[in-house]
Amino acid sequence: MPVFSFDPSKGMETVAKKVTELANEIESGINFEIGGFSPRVDIEEDDKGLYINVELPGMEKSQIKLSVSDDNVLTITGEKNKEEDDGSRSRIRTERRFGKFKRAFALPENIDRESIKAEFNNGILDVILDKKEPEKLKEYKVEIL
């Protein structure tokens, strides 16, 4: 009769790691990943703006689309096509990802949607989102009767 051993502490370590990752995602805003692969993203911030860098090796600028919705969600979509296989070689290993992707990020309210800039160089998409000055609250004098 086979003997099986069970160590619950090994499984708990993995669960704790996943819960921490989930909490970090929630803390940093909404992040959706949909599609055949998920490009890696770095997000940085300073007093002037928010900076998003997306790794998209092997892609052309024409294969990428950026949009911002009225509810301040930045969406990056595209499709990375697989090279045509002429059949002369047999694949031993494939680690690169291909297909459609969609990444969406909830932006803070202080982003100036009118001034968003994007550059694509050497497989890196750099998106620059300027912050806008907070609106000064108007004060209205109310006459007491």
Side-chain angles (χ1 to χ4, degrees):
M1 176 163 122
V3 176
F4 296 100
S5 64
F6 175 67
D7 185 359
S9 65
K10 286 185 180 181
M12 292 306 292
E13 196 173 300
T14 303
V15 170
K17 184 178 177 183
K18 292 291 184 189
V19 168
T20 301
E21 288 173 3
L22 177 62
N24 289 339
E25 284 293 322
I26 291 170
E27 183 179 308
S28 64
I30 298 171
N31 176 15
F32 302 102
E33 298 180 18
I34 302 167
F37 77 103
S38 181
R40 298 294 132 218
V41 175
D42 292 334
I43 302 176
E44 299 173 325
E45 178 181 28
D46 64 15
D47 293 340
K48 295 179 183 178
L50 204 61
Y51 308 91
I52 300 175
N53 308 104
V54 186
E55 284 186 344
L56 297 167
M59 293 189 69
E60 299 291 327
K61 180 171 60 172
S62 61
Q63 297 172 294
I64 305 162
K65 181 182 173 195
L66 273 86
S67 63
V68 179
S69 64
D70 287 336
D71 57 348
N72 265 12
V73 175
L74 171 72
T75 304
I76 304 168
T77 58
E79 184 170 5
K80 184 176 177 185
N81 300 319
K82 199 173 197 176
E83 296 96 16
E84 292 295 319
D85 186 6
D86 65 2
S88 64
R89 295 187 272 183
S90 59
R91 280 220 169 109
I92 296 172
R93 183 181 191 116
T94 301
E95 293 185 357
R96 296 180 297 156
R97 300 283 187 193
F98 300 94
K100 294 181 181 182
F101 69 90
K102 180 177 183 178
R103 297 289 308 260
F105 305 94
L107 300 176
E109 292 296 320
N110 64 341
I111 294 297
D112 182 3
R113 292 186 298 186
E114 303 288 322
S115 69
I116 296 174
K117 296 179 267 329
E119 295 179 2
F120 187 69
N121 293 307
N122 297 323
I124 304 292
L125 175 66
D126 296 312
V127 183
I128 302 164
L129 304 116
D130 294 331
K131 291 181 181 177
K132 59 184 173 185
E133 292 293 322
E135 292 182 24
K136 293 181 181 177
L137 297 176
K138 294 180 182 178
E139 188 174 307
Y140 298 96
K141 186 175 182 180
V142 178
E143 189 175 321
I144 301 172
L145 302 175

